Amino acid sequence: MNSLHLPFLTEKTINDMQSILKSILFGSLLPIAACNNNGEQEKKTVKDPLQQYAAQRLAGYAPVKLTADLSALSEKEKQMIPLLIEAADIMDELYWQQSYGNKDSLLNSITDSASREFARINYGPWDKLNSDTPFIAGYGAKSHGAGFYPADMTKEELEKSDVKDKHGEYSVIRRDSAGKLIAIPYHQFYQEPLKRASELLKQAAALAEEPGLKKYLELRSEALITDNFKPSDIAWMDMKDNGLDVIIGPIENYEDQLYNSRNAYEAYILVKDKVWSKKLEKYVSMLPALQKGLPVDEKYKKEVPGTSSQLNAYDVIYYAGHCNSGGKTIAVNLPNSEELQKTKGTRRSQLKNAMKAKFDQILLPIAKDLIDPSQLGQVQFDAFFSNVMFHEVAHGLGIKNTVDGKGTVRSALQEQGSWLEEAKADILGLYMVTKLVEMGELPGPIENYYTTFMAGILRSVRFGAGEAHGKANMLAFNYFEEKGAFVKTQDGHYKVDMAKFRDAMNGLSNLILTLQGNGDKPAVETLMKEKAVVRPDLQADLNKLQQKGIPVDITFEQGVKVLGLK
């Protein structure tokens, strides 16, 4: 069964799909008589279609051993790592609850080993990189509210309620004994596991020798049991000389597809590459000048981006929770708070070893199959690294507040905000690369960056319509195609027209910034329905990639043993 792309699934559609699959392949559900070498009949059972689907999709994840050079870390820093991993595993447990519910009850109910492993990768019975398609019998469409809201709650009911924390980042919505909606803070709802995680961070802080890291861990320990994350976010931004880092807590809001309000738990454990990080420092100071040159009307670029932001490179040694589900994150831009972004800037963290794994195992094989041979040599890791890096930097460009008093872009666009913000970062990242090459601040030629960006789109559109980054890349692909920025050759390869690629980059930048500045949610919804979709010709190419065994993403073998620690 080829990879399905089902962008707007209803529960009825999914159930009908499952019924059709089962009826088509019904014979595969029954024992089949066959003769062995002795002429005797044997009974063989073929997997049901959902199990076939899970096995095929599981094969699209390339296993990667997540290691890094730890020689620059002190002995005490190495002793901290097992404690941080244990705390990260608690974030993993909490994310399971937010994404699905009881992890053990689901996994123990699945008898097919491939389906069980695929459920583990997706933190539930829905395929995150294929529009949340269910792959376990008995499950319909995933609730847009995931585990943050009651399954029977409507948006209208919440809006009409007297709940004070309707759209809080750190609370769940539940019903009391009378059926009335109430908000429960995370630190109360997940009290016991958060206490354990907090204690582990305290133990790690006691081992920390670098003052900035010690302060951050102490404050983050407190934040987990109070939901007051601002002091620890500030301490994290102030921390500059650490070799070891950990990002931990409820951070991103993508899992809440109802409002994009509530944050999901996750953790990264990182080893800083101080040499690479030093090279990247200069680019942040250029943000104000680059903001002024954005290809959009003046009122949409009046905000002045902060220059206190940091650009660092890391090797990641552990993923847990949201960042480990489905497609693996290869760069991080935090904190998300608009207030802190204005006062402290952000830290853009490039996860170098994970990025290289995706380039080698996914992007390069895709390019060899789909990029025109005359341009294949322009697909380079350095260009991929820069495109991803400036995607994160570009979150700091553009506009954070609407121009007509609708509040922040995030509050005005609600559930439509995340995917359009990712699209903005994609396209403004490419704009930054273009300008920096012209200024001589990045090595050229620009053709390397454009062709690698094109190959990157073909990699990321495979993430599906159920994921913000996938939607963003679908928009870019369809917009660029309509503008003639690339053509499909007679032999089925994609060939970039460099001049039209630049024009399309500017045009899409203008469109996105205008929509954000206007806070025009209906227009963004229309754009998503019309252009954030995979059309048949592209889907046929994506199916070929799967049939050839080119991975969609990676999965990690990770932990203390993999790192060679006790």
Side-chain angles (χ1 to χ4, degrees), residues 5 23 27 83 206 308 323 401 420 441 516 555:
H5 179 76
S23 64
L83 295 170
S308 59
C323 62
N401 297 286
L420 193 67
E441 297 290 348
Q516 287 186 321
T555 186

Side-chain angles (χ1 to χ4, degrees), residues 160-174:
K160 289 182 176 179
S161 75
D162 60 1
V163 174
K164 293 181 180 178
D165 198 27
K166 286 185 175 72
H167 307 302
E169 294 179 84
Y170 310 119
S171 66
V172 297
I173 301 296
R174 290 295 183 265

